[in-house]
Amino acid sequence: MKHLACKVMMVVAVLAITLASCKNKQTEQTAENNDNGAPITENLRFCESVLPYDGGLLIANFGTKTLDATNTGLGYITYYKDGRNQLLIPADGNLTQPRGMGLFQDYLFVACLNSIVVYNLNNLTEEPQIILFPEDDLIVNDIAINNGGTLFASVSNTGRVYILNIQNPENIDVKSLMRYVEIPGANGLVLDGRHLYIASYNPEGEPTDDNVLYVLDDVSNPTDVRHLTGIPGQYDGLALSPDGTLLFFTDWSNEGRVGYIRFENGEITYLPSDGIVGPADLCVWNSDLCVPDLVNSTVVRFLIEE
């Protein structure tokens, strides 16, 4: 099956990334492909999030036969490296619609419906820990973790953002889970030192003036939250550029789009993303901006060059 890929060449300067050139092409991803920036499709089924790990890329998959199916326990995690995408965590019954992921001390944290599932990557035969959220928190969506062992988790249907102490990841104190801040439709998260950036997505499908990009200027003060943009959207994933000057985002509005906001002046630029229908929880990996297209079961890669 052929998929549409859009390859974007960007020049990274000290304080900015400038769009240099772009071309569209159709390629077929096979096991024999070199790691050349082609879209990843091998062994994917409704991939929602991506995360760099040990020189490769973790990819979370719903694993269902149709996107709207809610079959329990079919989710799985693959590991892409050197042109191959292999199964890392099989459909073990613990993952249903796995979404955002985070890493801390070789433990993988996966947002999954109303829980976070925690795998020991050094011993995948070990039963994962499961941290349950309150019953009305139906869609734990994304995860961000700081170096001190504090995990931030968003819940899109209630708009709550929680914090959890994971300093002892092999034995997490589930009682440390507590509400941190509320943002309408809280979705994608990314941390930058003392800042926490939050994407907003309206679960009802129609964005309002509250569904924008937000920032907490000081994570120690959760009341210090403000709008980063004023453009309503169905915002999903967030990622920072390597030099910290840009915030990349995905937006399900207007048939799906990928863009970035320049912190220096607040300017928003949209990347050529024809063919991407369900842009989800993206990341920056090596020289690539990796965007999972949930609908098309594809990870599209935008090449970032210095």
Side-chain angles (χ1 to χ4, degrees):
M1 177 178 181
K2 294 189 176 182
H3 295 266
L4 189 63
C6 182
K7 185 176 181 182
V8 178
M9 307 294 293
M10 291 179 283
V11 179
V12 180
V14 177
L15 293 176
I17 292 180
T18 304
L19 193 64
S21 66
C22 175
K23 64 178 180 178
N24 291 332
K25 65 178 182 179
Q26 286 191 328
T27 67
E28 186 173 2
Q29 177 74 10
T30 68
E32 289 74 31
N33 281 146
N34 293 323
D35 193 10
N36 59 1
I40 304 166
T41 62
E42 182 187 12
N43 293 328
L44 299 183
R45 185 175 288 275
F46 305 123
C47 45
E48 205 279 343
S49 69
V50 288
L51 182 70
Y53 171 66
D54 194 25
L57 190 69
L58 298 173
I59 308 174
N61 297 267
F62 286 5
T64 51
K65 290 184 178 180
T66 61
L67 182 57
D68 58 355
T70 56
N71 307 67
T72 301
L74 297 181
Y76 62 93
I77 310 294
T78 58
Y79 180 55
Y80 178 82
K81 190 174 183 180
D82 298 330
R84 297 297 303 270
N85 190 40
Q86 301 182 17
L87 190 64
L88 180 70
I89 300 174
D92 59 2
N94 291 300
L95 296 176
T96 300
Q97 296 187 349
R99 299 178 189 271
M101 298 181 287
L103 286 165
F104 187 74
Q105 295 181 4
D106 288 322
Y107 282 79
L108 176 64
F109 296 76
V110 185
C112 177
L113 295 186
N114 72 322
S115 69
I116 291 176
V117 183
V118 187
Y119 289 92
N120 180 356
L121 292 175
N122 291 325
N123 184 8
L124 287 173
T125 61
E126 182 180 294
E127 279 295 311
Q129 300 174 71
I130 298 178
I131 293 94
L132 291 175
F133 282 62
E135 289 184 0
D136 58 338
D137 291 320
L138 302 177
I139 306 175
V140 182
N141 195 286
D142 202 11
I143 291 170
I145 301 172
N146 67 18
N147 293 332
T150 298
L151 179 148
F152 298 80
S154 63
V155 183
S156 56
N157 72 294
T158 60
R160 298 167 186 159
V161 178
Y162 288 81
I163 55 173
L164 177 70
N165 183 348
I166 61 168
Q167 293 176 355
N168 185 18
E170 65 271 14
N171 187 20
I172 298 167
D173 180 9
V174 297
K175 294 181 181 178
S176 69
L177 183 70
M178 64 176 62
R179 292 191 196 183
Y180 173 68
V181 70
E182 292 194 17
I183 301 291
N187 203 312
L189 302 174
V190 69
L191 279 164
D192 176 18
R194 61 188 294 179
H195 301 92
L196 176 66
Y197 300 95
I198 306 171
S200 175
Y201 184 103
N202 189 336
E204 302 299 322
E206 291 294 331
T208 71
D209 291 341
D210 290 328
N211 299 121
V212 296
L213 300 179
Y214 291 81
V215 60
L216 275 165
D217 288 309
D218 184 353
V219 293
S220 66
N221 179 15
T223 62
D224 187 20
V225 61
R226 61 182 174 87
H227 288 194
L228 187 62
T229 67
I231 301 175
Q234 292 292 73
Y235 295 102
D236 195 329
L238 296 176
L240 291 162
S241 63
D243 63 1
T245 64
L246 305 178
L247 178 67
F248 295 103
F249 61 84
T250 57
D251 180 3
W252 287 60
S253 300
N254 296 297
E255 299 182 348
R257 54 189 178 180
V258 181
Y260 60 83
I261 180 170
R262 192 184 306 276
F263 290 127
E264 182 181 28
N265 55 18
E267 179 181 311
I268 293 177
T269 301
Y270 293 99
L271 303 180
S273 54
D274 294 344
I276 298 179
V277 181
D281 192 6
L282 75 175
C283 76
V284 173
W285 172 58
N286 294 337
S287 297
D288 291 340
L289 177 67
C290 299
V291 182
D293 185 344
L294 176 63
V295 176
N296 286 326
S297 297
T298 304
V299 175
V300 179
R301 301 159 69 186
F302 295 81
L303 181 61
I304 303 172
E305 288 193 342
E306 296 189 8

